[in-house]
Amino acid sequence: KRFDLRPELATEVPTKENGGLSEDGLTWTFHLREGVKWTDGQPVTAKDVVFTYELVLEARKLNPMLMLANLVDGIESVTATDDYTVVFKTSKPKANMLVGVVASTPIVPEHVWSKIPVKDVAGTYEPTPPLVCSGMFQVVGYEHENYVNFAANKDYWDGAPKIDKLDYLFY
């Protein structure tokens, strides 16, 4: 069986056939799903995606060992052409763009994270739950190397999860 990617925040996987990937493999265009909201009710937009990648790129300058730093290698720019379209330009074709860069980088809400200094993000900053997110589950409790408590996001764009809470224990 083929390994098919399933887009979530994006409406489709960019390919050369659908115009989402340029012929030279340097420009990736993602169309975001409309109507997706952060758990605080604010809409998720292309500006959040641009903010997230610019934050990681800036934090990487301060801390090259930052967990996501290597994923953004080769990304020259990230722009929002409208509220639901994001364009990535790379310096060379990027084989890990879909399964590494895009799939592994959690998009963060600009209206929350823009208040946190980049030097803190590049350091040891740990946000305090509940975390504003757009995923199926929201982090509502956390203790470093001990546990993470998740609560179902009842307003998740693809329908509420079938369970109300999930506790992840480290041992």
Side-chain angles (χ1 to χ4, degrees):
K1 181 176 172 165
R2 268 186 57 196
F3 174 71
D4 290 326
L5 297 174
R6 178 182 177 258
E8 293 197 6
L9 183 54
T11 58
E12 64 184 351
V13 175
T15 64
K16 288 182 181 175
E17 294 76 28
N18 66 21
L21 176 60
S22 63
E23 284 300 318
D24 62 7
L26 301 179
T27 304
W28 296 78
T29 302
F30 292 85
H31 299 282
L32 305 184
R33 194 173 304 282
E34 294 186 36
V36 177
K37 295 188 187 260
W38 297 108
T39 49
D40 66 0
Q42 296 291 318
V44 177
T45 69
K47 289 180 183 179
D48 294 305
V49 177
V50 171
F51 173 80
T52 298
Y53 283 93
E54 287 178 348
L55 178 65
V56 173
L57 287 164
E58 190 63 30
R60 179 181 74 164
K61 292 176 188 172
L62 299 172
N63 181 0
M65 300 305 290
L66 188 67
M67 187 168 81
L68 301 172
N70 65 328
L71 294 178
V72 295
D73 283 343
I75 293 178
E76 292 186 340
S77 68
V78 184
T79 56
T81 58
D82 61 41
D83 284 347
Y84 299 101
T85 307
V86 180
V87 177
F88 288 80
K89 300 243 184 218
T90 61
S91 58
K92 59 186 179 215
K94 199 156 175 52
N96 70 339
M97 188 68 167
L98 296 175
V99 294
V101 179
V102 174
S104 300
T105 306
I107 304 305
V108 298
E110 178 181 21
H111 66 279
V112 173
W113 283 78
S114 62
K115 298 173 182 135
I116 302 159
V118 175
K119 68 177 181 52
D120 292 348
V121 173
T124 58
Y125 177 74
E126 290 187 18
T128 304
L131 305 184
V132 175
C133 71
S134 64
M136 224 184 240
F137 289 93
Q138 179 180 25
V139 174
V140 294
Y142 171 79
E143 186 177 300
H144 184 74
E145 295 184 355
N146 196 8
Y147 65 85
V148 182
N149 304 123
F150 298 92
N153 178 0
K154 302 292 185 184
D155 296 320
Y156 183 60
W157 68 268
D158 197 25
K162 305 269 188 262
I163 59 174
D164 292 327
K165 69 177 195 162
L166 177 67
D167 295 321
Y168 187 89
L169 306 174
F170 298 91
Y171 59 95

